[in-house]
């Protein structure tokens, strides 16, 4: 029998993986190269969230980080950080993610693409940008101690930049079970973003232009669509989702390994690339689905294997996600989304004939 906590851990973890996989896929669609600096965008988002919340509490709020308690029938939510403080963290994490992503695209990748740089040069450029951001964060961490600032405001319970001790608690009286807020917030947040993307892509004129530019940029340009503008929007979404994922990672300490001051997203990025590949590097919604598949493989499947065999494989769960990638590349090189699309296309003639 699978523990309920494992299921909710999986949902929380999968939500973050899906957000990061989505950003990687959007960057790939517009540049045809994997963005190896993507985890650093989440790092920047995490730093921005932690620093902005600490500054907001220190400079604006008089009553500290605040707490709240909400009862909704049998469900009771106890917040260990006030909603306005969390909102400040989310906003600054998203803004920081967008700025970093646009800087990478316009200052590094776009000039190289215009000069005809090939796949290898672009890939190396993303690695170079990754190291540049690492160095920048290190310099900022040396001269402006975000860790000390956060610890000073949130108290001694904070370790490094992790705020998992301050996650909200959700008391499910009906089930006799208590959840951490991140478990629902991450899952519901990723679903909300997927829904907004669906509305944007399939229910708006901008979405039609985006799909046309993604599927056939040359034809889209002939039709008068500003492809460059569409790509900019794609990188804004990529940076925003990475920044939001960075905010979530701050509260996920005991779901994955405790985050560190130097690289909160490093432990997760392998899984994010795996989610993008398994779902399909050319499919926006496939990457979200791939993120949830990888989350299930690393949390749920590894837990089941551990229970059945008695061998603790949860600490080696990245091996399972790499196995999922290998199987995908072997049997469905374009990802599961492409496989699903092919099946739908194969059934259309029969559906029309019937």
């Amino acid at each position: 029998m699978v523990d309920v906590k494992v299921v909710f851990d999986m949902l929380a973890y999968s939500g973050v993986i899906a957000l990061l996989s989505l950003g990687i896929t959007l960057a790939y669609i517009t540049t045809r190269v994997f963005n190896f600096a993507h985890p650093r965008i989440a790092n920047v988002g995490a730093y921005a969230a932690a620093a902005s919340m600490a500054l907001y509490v220190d400079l604006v709020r008089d009553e500290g980080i605040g707490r709240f308690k909400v009862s909704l029938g049998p469900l009771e939510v106890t917040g260990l950080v006030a909603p306005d403080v969390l909102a400040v963290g989310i906003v600054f994490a998203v803004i920081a993610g967008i700025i970093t992503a646009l800087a990478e695209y316009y200052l590094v990748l776009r000039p190289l693409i215009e000069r005809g740089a090939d796949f290898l040069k672009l890939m190396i450029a993303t690695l170079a940008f990754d190291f540049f951001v690492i160095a920048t964060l290190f310099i900022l961490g040396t001269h402006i101690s975000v860790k000390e600032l956060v610890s000073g405001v949130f108290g001694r319970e904070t370790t490094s930049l992790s705020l998992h001790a301050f996650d909200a608690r959700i008391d499910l009286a009906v089930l006799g079970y208590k959840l951490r807020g991140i478990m629902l917030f991450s899952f519901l947040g990723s679903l909300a973003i997927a829904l907004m993307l669906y509305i944007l892509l399939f229910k708006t004129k901008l979405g039609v232009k985006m799909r046309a530019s993604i599927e056939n940029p040359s034809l889209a340009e002939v039709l008068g669509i500003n492809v460059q503008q569409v790509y900019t929007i794609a990188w804004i979404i990529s940076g925003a989702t990475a920044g939001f994922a960075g905010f979530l990672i701050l509260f996920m300490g005991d779901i994955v390994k405790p985050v560190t001051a130097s690289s909160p997203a490093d432990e997760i990025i392998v899984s994010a690339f795996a989610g993008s590949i398994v779902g399909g590097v050319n499919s926006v919604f496939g990457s979200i689905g791939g993120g949830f598949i990888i989350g299930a493989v690393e949390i749920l499947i590894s837990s089941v294997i551990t229970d059945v065999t008695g061998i603790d494989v949860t600490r080696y769960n990245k091996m399972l996600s790499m196995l999922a990638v290998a199987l995908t590349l072997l049997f469905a090189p374009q990802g599961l989304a492409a496989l699903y699309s092919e099946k739908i296309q194969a059934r259309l003639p029969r559906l029309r004939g019937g």
Side-chain angles (χ1 to χ4, degrees):
M1 185 69 179
V2 178
D3 192 330
V4 175
K5 182 180 181 303
V6 174
V7 175
F8 280 104
D9 273 356
M10 178 199 72
L11 294 177
Y13 184 66
S14 299
V16 173
I17 298 295
L19 290 173
L20 291 172
S21 298
L22 169 65
I24 290 170
T25 296
L26 284 172
Y28 178 83
I29 287 172
T30 54
T31 60
R32 292 299 162 191
V33 67
F34 279 118
N35 180 17
F36 287 101
H38 197 70
R40 223 55 60 189
I41 299 176
N43 276 14
V44 172
Y47 270 75
S52 62
M53 285 192 291
L55 285 171
Y56 174 70
V57 171
D58 191 34
L59 301 178
V60 179
R61 263 180 152 261
D62 295 326
E63 60 270 36
I65 60 175
R67 296 173 186 271
F68 69 97
K69 188 174 183 179
V70 178
S71 295
L72 301 171
L75 187 146
E76 185 175 279
V77 181
T78 305
L80 302 179
V81 181
D84 59 315
V85 179
L86 296 174
V88 168
I90 293 173
V91 168
F92 276 87
V94 169
I95 291 174
I98 292 173
I99 292 173
T100 309
L102 289 179
E104 181 182 9
Y105 181 60
Y106 274 105
L107 299 180
V108 180
L109 296 179
R110 190 67 206 167
L112 289 173
I113 292 172
E114 290 175 350
R115 288 170 172 77
D118 58 16
F119 170 84
L120 182 60
K121 291 176 181 175
L122 291 175
M123 186 184 69
I124 293 173
T126 66
L127 286 171
F129 186 80
D130 186 37
F131 287 120
F132 173 78
V133 177
I134 291 173
T136 303
L137 288 176
F138 179 77
I139 293 169
L140 286 176
T142 302
H143 295 284
I144 306 172
S145 180
V146 177
K147 177 184 173 183
E148 290 181 6
L149 175 65
V150 173
S151 295
V153 171
F154 283 82
R156 294 181 179 179
E157 291 181 71
T158 55
T159 56
S160 184
L161 286 187
S162 173
L163 297 177
H164 69 274
F166 294 89
D167 192 11
R169 300 291 186 267
I170 302 173
D171 188 353
L172 298 172
V174 175
L175 299 176
Y177 191 81
K178 289 185 179 181
L179 293 177
R180 290 179 52 204
I182 189 68
M183 293 178 174
L184 285 183
F185 194 58
S186 172
F187 176 62
L188 296 178
S190 59
L191 290 186
I193 288 173
L195 178 62
M196 286 190 287
L197 268 179
Y198 174 79
I199 294 173
L200 173 66
L201 292 174
F202 294 97
K203 301 296 180 182
T204 66
K205 291 182 179 178
L206 176 61
V208 174
K209 293 179 180 178
M210 287 186 71
R211 283 188 287 141
S213 301
I214 289 171
E215 292 171 5
N216 193 331
S218 301
L219 180 60
E221 284 184 341
V222 172
L223 294 174
I225 296 174
N226 188 335
V227 175
Q228 182 56 41
Q229 186 183 61
V230 170
Y231 284 0
T232 299
I233 294 172
W235 274 81
I236 288 174
I237 297 173
S238 175
T241 53
F244 182 53
F247 169 82
L248 294 176
I249 290 170
L250 282 175
F251 294 90
M252 292 184 66
D254 58 358
I255 294 176
V256 292
K257 290 182 180 179
V259 293
T260 65
S262 59
S263 54
D266 281 354
E267 290 291 333
I268 259 178
I269 194 60
V270 173
S271 310
F273 275 106
S276 178
I277 294 170
V278 169
V281 294
N282 290 307
S283 171
V284 172
F285 294 105
S287 64
I288 296 174
F292 277 94
I293 291 172
I294 292 299
V297 167
E298 293 191 9
I299 301 292
L300 189 61
I301 302 298
S302 65
S303 176
V304 170
I305 293 175
T306 299
D307 289 342
V308 171
T309 64
I311 302 172
D312 185 7
V313 299
T314 55
R315 62 180 62 185
Y316 307 110
N317 54 14
K318 295 290 185 285
M319 177 186 68
L320 295 177
S321 58
M322 289 300 99
L323 179 61
V325 169
L327 292 174
T328 301
L329 293 176
L330 190 61
F331 296 105
Q334 299 303 315
L336 298 182
L339 197 63
Y340 179 76
S341 178
E342 288 172 4
K343 287 186 177 180
I344 294 294
Q345 292 295 329
R347 289 181 180 179
L348 280 179
R350 279 183 288 172
L351 292 173
R352 288 166 183 160

